[in-house]
Amino acid sequence: MKYANSFFSKKGLFERYGENPGTMLVHTGLLGWILSSLAQITAIVANDKIPSEQKKFLIPQEAADGLVNIFSFYVITSSFKLLGSKLVSTGKLASKNIKAFLNKSGVQNKVGKLDFNISRMENFNEIKSDYKSFKNGVDVIASTVGSIVSCNIFTPIVRNECAARIQKRLIDRQNKPQSDSNYYPYKISMDNYQKTAYSKYSSPGLKI
Amino acid sequence: MPLSIKTYITNTSLYKSAAKKLNSVKQKGLDLIPNAEFSNEKFLNCVDYIGKNFSSDKQRLVLGATALVTQPVIDYYNKNVDEKTRKVSVARTVAKILAGTATGFLIRYGCIKSIKAFSKIPGEGVPKYKTILTPKGVTDNTTDAFEQYRNALGTIISLGIMLFTNFLVDAPLTKFLTNVFIDKQEEKNEVRK
């Protein structure tokens, strides 16, 4: 609780994100996905029109869908952001000023090595301003490209596949013989039909 | 002094060997990317501008614009469903993107702007309520770091607000737009017949 308080405190936010706009975009994007998924689950829980039997199926389905979305967003976006950061901190991507600084410092042979970090160099203060401005820009671009790949390409493809499988499972279940306890009868009342319709899969996507 | 679990684990030979192999793979991956030096002033100014000014509201706009290009195409070529379902799916996706992007952008933008009014530096003639969101010990609110703090706080508050607008605005707007697009599709089909 104490950690959560300090995490969301004004000072905590200032110290954490003041110098790291790319990280802020990844974290707030992740929070957006989490809240979006929670909102979907709450909508099902609070909907009186959905019978409790359907809720037993829909809630875990929505939770699983949310976990896939959250996980893929975090893994893809933070990987892009980490790669962007690493390319700048090891000097692989550099502005002309940073390159000149590296040449002047005689560390050309260390450029691109995993354990090399420009910000840990003794004379880092000489290039600090240029480096931070370039790195923040690359971080933000990398996070945004990561978000586009995750939210607009990877997740919709995976979601369509999952939706098709879940719908197929539902249709198979409906076609099972009557002895099955989960069977939906061929001739049902309009009220039961409407209730059953809620079990049709509808994936949320990023709503907020 | 007893060793912490983390120190104990990182000192094991198994961990060291795995970390060494992982680093070697990472280094090989990094080596595949060629070195690049950017000297074009316009490009560097653009990178600098993005780092300083591109926040979650603008990111939401970019995500929405690219979503309009990719997601309907993905839905249209989804071979798992029949053609009619695909068309409805495209209409719903476009509607969802338009509604989500419009509300997402406006609320984020509004919240980030509003934070500015309540994060002034304490001083003479500045009412206390206007400093309510200023972190303790901060004496300059014109730095890039402070701007990023405002962006972060504004985004977090907007996410809380969007929990409600998700149901109150997005859902009905998505439904309305979906119906408009489906009607237009049907009108087109009738004209063709």
Side-chain angles (χ1 to χ4, degrees):
Chain A
M1 193 64 197
K2 201 178 168 186
Y3 177 75
N5 280 342
S6 82
F7 192 91
F8 287 108
S9 71
K10 289 177 280 181
K11 205 162 177 72
L13 290 175
F14 181 66
E15 284 168 0
R16 191 165 302 104
Y17 301 128
E19 302 283 345
N20 299 300
T23 309
M24 187 272 282
L25 287 177
V26 175
H27 287 178
T28 51
L30 184 69
L31 188 64
W33 271 110
I34 293 170
L35 293 178
S36 183
S37 303
L38 283 176
Q40 290 301 320
I41 294 170
T42 312
I44 297 170
V45 173
N47 193 335
D48 296 335
K49 287 180 186 170
I50 305 175
S52 62
E53 215 170 275
Q54 303 292 349
K55 282 185 184 177
K56 277 181 200 164
F57 170 74
L58 287 172
I59 293 168
Q61 177 194 299
E62 207 63 60
D65 193 47
L67 280 178
V68 170
N69 291 336
I70 293 163
F71 185 74
S72 70
F73 174 83
Y74 187 69
V75 169
I76 295 173
T77 311
S78 64
S79 300
F80 270 77
K81 196 248 161 199
L82 280 176
L83 179 66
S85 288
K86 203 75 195 166
L87 290 174
V88 177
S89 68
T90 57
K92 280 218 133 206
L93 280 189
S95 65
K96 63 177 179 188
N97 288 349
I98 298 173
K99 195 76 182 170
F101 166 78
L102 293 172
N103 290 341
K104 194 186 88 179
S105 308
V107 289
Q108 296 97 315
N109 57 337
K110 289 185 181 172
V111 167
K113 298 288 174 228
L114 212 55
D115 51 1
F116 176 61
N117 191 331
I118 297 175
S119 65
R120 289 197 200 123
M121 287 170 69
E122 277 181 13
N123 54 346
F124 172 65
N125 276 341
E126 288 175 30
I127 198 71
K128 191 177 176 182
S129 166
D130 277 336
Y131 174 82
K132 284 209 160 174
S133 133
F134 185 67
K135 187 173 176 294
N136 282 348
V138 171
D139 276 2
V140 170
I141 293 168
S143 318
T144 306
V145 173
S147 308
I148 291 169
V149 172
S150 156
C151 296
N152 294 343
I153 299 171
F154 181 79
T155 311
I157 293 173
V158 172
R159 212 162 42 212
N160 280 348
E161 280 299 316
C162 291
R165 281 183 194 184
I166 290 170
Q167 254 176 350
K168 190 176 176 296
R169 208 191 310 154
L170 273 171
I171 291 165
D172 287 348
R173 197 194 286 181
Q174 280 174 339
N175 291 336
K176 270 187 183 175
Q178 204 162 9
S179 58
D180 194 314
S181 58
N182 289 327
Y183 175 70
Y184 298 117
Y186 177 66
K187 283 182 182 174
I188 55 174
S189 67
M190 183 50 80
D191 185 46
N192 276 344
Y193 171 77
Q194 282 174 336
K195 284 176 179 173
T196 310
Y198 282 105
S199 65
K200 196 180 174 209
Y201 183 79
S202 165
S203 193
L206 183 60
K207 288 207 169 178
I208 61 179
Chain B
M1 199 174 165
L3 286 174
S4 70
I5 295 173
K6 191 182 169 189
T7 317
Y8 177 77
I9 292 171
T10 51
N11 274 332
T12 57
S13 56
L14 184 69
Y15 179 89
K16 282 179 182 169
S17 148
K20 202 177 168 184
K21 276 186 184 159
L22 184 67
N23 274 349
S24 150
V25 171
K26 280 185 185 171
Q27 183 63 60
K28 278 180 186 164
L30 205 59
D31 290 342
L32 290 174
I33 301 168
N35 291 3
E37 181 191 338
F38 300 99
S39 53
N40 184 310
E41 277 301 323
K42 272 188 186 170
F43 176 77
L44 290 173
N45 287 338
C46 182
V47 172
D48 180 46
Y49 177 84
I50 289 172
K52 283 178 182 157
N53 300 294
F54 197 86
S55 191
S56 63
D57 52 345
K58 287 159 193 114
Q59 192 196 37
R60 189 68 185 89
L61 264 190
V62 172
L63 273 178
T66 47
L68 271 180
V69 178
T70 59
Q71 291 198 24
V73 177
I74 292 169
D75 283 347
Y76 190 75
Y77 289 101
N78 179 14
K79 298 291 176 199
N80 291 314
V81 289
D82 60 83
E83 200 188 336
K84 201 180 170 189
T85 310
R86 278 208 301 266
K87 282 183 178 170
V88 173
S89 163
V90 169
R92 191 169 175 268
T93 299
V94 173
K96 203 164 74 177
I97 295 167
L98 290 177
T101 305
T103 50
F105 169 74
L106 290 174
I107 293 168
R108 279 176 176 88
Y109 179 81
C111 285
I112 291 170
K113 283 279 168 206
S114 312
I115 296 293
K116 228 174 191 173
F118 299 100
S119 55
K120 308 267 184 213
I121 298 299
E124 243 180 77
V126 181
K128 207 176 175 187
Y129 73 88
K130 286 193 173 179
T131 66
I132 201 162
L133 297 175
T134 312
K136 267 185 188 169
V138 174
T139 53
D140 184 3
N141 63 356
T142 58
T143 59
D144 290 340
F146 198 81
E147 204 56 42
Q148 297 301 346
Y149 156 76
R150 278 173 171 160
N151 290 340
L153 191 59
T155 307
I156 289 168
I157 290 172
S158 67
L159 289 173
I161 293 172
M162 279 184 280
L163 277 179
F164 299 97
T165 56
N166 192 15
F167 300 108
L168 299 173
V169 183
D170 281 35
L173 188 59
T174 302
K175 194 179 166 187
F176 169 76
L177 289 173
T178 306
N179 290 337
V180 169
F181 295 145
I182 290 172
D183 287 347
K184 287 219 164 160
Q185 270 179 7
E186 279 172 3
E187 270 173 30
K188 260 189 188 175
N189 289 343
E190 274 175 22
V191 169
R192 271 182 203 164
K193 279 176 189 173

